[in-house]
């Protein structure tokens, strides 16, 4: 019984569909089907009940899935320990939203560089949909995504800290003189909205629908949105701590009632990480160990 076949099996368990599992594994469907059949023959039992669109684990399959997870977990841990003191090199790609909590990842990167100076980490500023697409395609190893977000495809670590929502406005705007802005102020503004999640996310966060808003532009990086605000296009709905408004023509005014978003460090479920990527994950986990729940 090969470890590779166990990984195929667990991907099928996760996806409940051999075609989807094959696509995630980047292996042809006939190959995955054949390996599954050979595994069942070797074990002398049926692991899945086949349906029209999805497949479900049999009782034997559920037991074997649990054992397979433990086997692979122990294997990966053993290999990591064997190679712990060896020099690790390679490139790791992280797609990240703009978030204060990236500081935790940055601190982990600093420690990683001191321990493994031949690992190069490449940060790409982007939004959650792009992170998901590039994780699935294998371009990114990890992502930093803002809440709320569907994490059903991910293993993840919640990062500490939250960022508060508000409006980025010109200093000359009457809103700049207020301590906070209300949802009514948001609805009455010419709005520049974040692309991530679109109107559904705005509704989840604030209870506002597309019909309530006057949207003039969207953005995926708040810096670009800040240029639109400076040009008088509208007010940008976004998170605090991203744009430094000191000695600028802009002011960030927080929203009331207070609305905040946290973020998570994510990677694909079932994804086998490179040694360099595993080293980064281990360092992020170590960075959070004192505050882990």
């Amino acid at each position: 019984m090969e470890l590779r076949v166990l990984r195929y099996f667990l991907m099928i368990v996760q996806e409940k569909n051999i075609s989807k599992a094959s696509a995630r594994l980047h292996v042809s469907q006939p190959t995955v089907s054949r390996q599954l059949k050979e595994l069942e023959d070797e074990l002398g039992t049926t692991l899945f009940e086949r349906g029209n669109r999805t497949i479900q684990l049999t009782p034997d399959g559920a037991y074997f899935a649990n054992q397979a997870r433990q086997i692979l977990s122990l294997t990966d841990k053993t290999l990591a320990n064997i190679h712990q003191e060896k020099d690790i090199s390679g490139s790791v790609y992280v797609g990240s939203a703009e978030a204060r909590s990236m500081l935790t990842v940055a601190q982990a990167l600093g420690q990683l560089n001191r321990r493994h100076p031949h690992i190069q980490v490449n940060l790409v500023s982007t939004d959650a949909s792009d992170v998901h697409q590039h994780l699935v395609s294998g371009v990114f190893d990890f992502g930093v995504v803002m809440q709320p977000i569907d994490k059903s495809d991910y293993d993840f670590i919640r990062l500490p800290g939250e960022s508060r929502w508000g409006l980025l406005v010109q200093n000359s705007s009457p809103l700049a003189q207020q301590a906070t802005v209300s949802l009514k102020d948001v609805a009455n503004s010419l709005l520049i909205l974040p692309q991530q999640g679109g109107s559904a996310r705005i509704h989840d966060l604030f209870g506002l629908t597309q019909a309530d808003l006057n949207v003039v532009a969207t953005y995926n990086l708040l810096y670009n949105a800040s240029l639109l605000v400076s040009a008088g296009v509208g007010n940008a709905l976004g998170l605090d701590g991203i744009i430094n408004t000191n000695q600028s023509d802009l002011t960030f005014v927080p929203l009331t009632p207070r609305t905040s978003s946290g973020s998570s460090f994510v990677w694909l479920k079932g994804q086998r990480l490179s040694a360099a990527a595993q080293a980064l994950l281990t360092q992020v986990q170590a960075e959070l160990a004192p505050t882990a729940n």
Side-chain angles (χ1 to χ4, degrees):
M1 186 181 302
E2 299 181 27
L3 295 177
R4 170 178 51 82
V5 177
L6 294 184
R7 297 186 193 280
Y8 288 2
F9 167 69
L10 289 180
M11 184 61 74
I12 298 170
V13 172
Q14 177 184 321
E15 295 296 329
K16 298 181 181 179
N17 182 285
I18 293 178
S19 296
K20 292 181 180 179
S22 301
R24 289 282 297 275
L25 291 164
H26 304 289
V27 178
S28 70
Q29 181 176 338
T31 297
V32 174
S33 296
R34 184 179 69 255
Q35 295 284 0
L36 177 59
K37 179 63 168 61
E38 290 176 357
L39 178 61
E40 289 180 320
D41 290 344
E42 183 177 355
L43 294 172
T45 190
T46 301
L47 298 174
F48 291 101
E49 295 288 348
R50 275 74 167 175
N52 291 332
R53 296 187 178 179
T54 62
I55 54 179
Q56 301 292 331
L57 286 169
T58 63
D60 283 347
Y63 171 76
F64 185 70
N66 182 61
Q67 297 301 107
R69 292 187 187 98
Q70 294 186 48
I71 292 168
L72 291 177
S73 176
L74 180 59
T75 300
D76 292 341
K77 181 178 180 180
T78 301
L79 290 174
N81 289 336
I82 290 173
H83 296 291
Q84 187 172 14
E85 300 304 321
K86 294 184 179 180
D87 185 31
I88 300 174
S89 62
S91 293
V92 181
Y93 283 81
V94 181
S96 176
E98 296 174 300
R100 282 182 170 181
S101 50
M102 259 301 293
L103 177 60
T104 298
V105 180
Q107 291 167 338
L109 292 180
Q111 293 294 331
L112 180 73
N113 180 256
R114 284 184 277 275
R115 294 186 62 186
H116 303 292
H118 296 111
I119 294 178
Q120 177 179 311
V121 178
N122 307 278
L123 297 178
V124 181
S125 295
T126 187
D127 59 22
S129 60
D130 194 58
V131 166
H132 184 270
Q133 177 183 345
H134 283 84
L135 283 172
V136 170
S137 66
V139 175
F140 291 167
D141 299 285
F142 301 104
V144 176
V145 295
M146 301 300 299
Q147 306 297 344
I149 190 72
D150 179 7
K151 296 194 290 290
S152 58
D153 285 345
Y154 299 140
D155 286 320
F156 64 93
I157 300 171
R158 289 188 178 89
L159 297 174
E162 291 193 337
S163 297
R164 188 172 181 181
W165 285 88
L167 282 180
L168 192 64
V169 304
Q170 289 182 329
N171 290 340
S172 58
S173 167
L175 296 177
Q177 311 310 313
Q178 301 179 189
T180 60
V181 290
S182 66
L183 291 176
K184 183 178 180 181
D185 292 325
V186 172
N188 289 338
S189 292
L190 296 175
L191 276 180
I192 305 167
L193 291 185
Q195 292 176 1
Q196 178 177 324
S199 58
R201 186 182 190 214
I202 298 303
H203 181 266
D204 289 343
L205 282 168
F206 311 111
L208 297 171
T209 66
Q210 190 74 22
D212 298 322
L213 306 174
N214 186 1
V215 180
V216 294
T218 64
Y219 70 89
N220 68 338
L221 296 176
L222 189 56
Y223 175 76
N224 290 336
S226 72
L227 299 180
L228 297 181
V229 177
S230 292
V233 175
N235 300 323
L237 184 66
L239 296 168
D240 66 349
I242 298 173
I243 301 298
N244 183 359
T245 58
N246 293 333
Q247 299 180 340
S248 76
D249 62 343
L250 301 177
T251 297
F252 182 88
V253 189
L255 183 68
T256 186
R258 183 185 181 97
T259 305
S260 301
S261 289
S263 61
S264 295
F265 186 74
V266 304
W267 62 102
L268 279 183
K269 286 181 178 178
Q271 181 70 28
R272 186 170 187 179
L273 300 174
S274 68
Q278 182 61 54
L280 173 56
L281 175 58
T282 299
Q283 197 60 57
V284 172
Q285 290 169 328
E287 196 70 30
L288 294 173
T291 58
N293 294 327

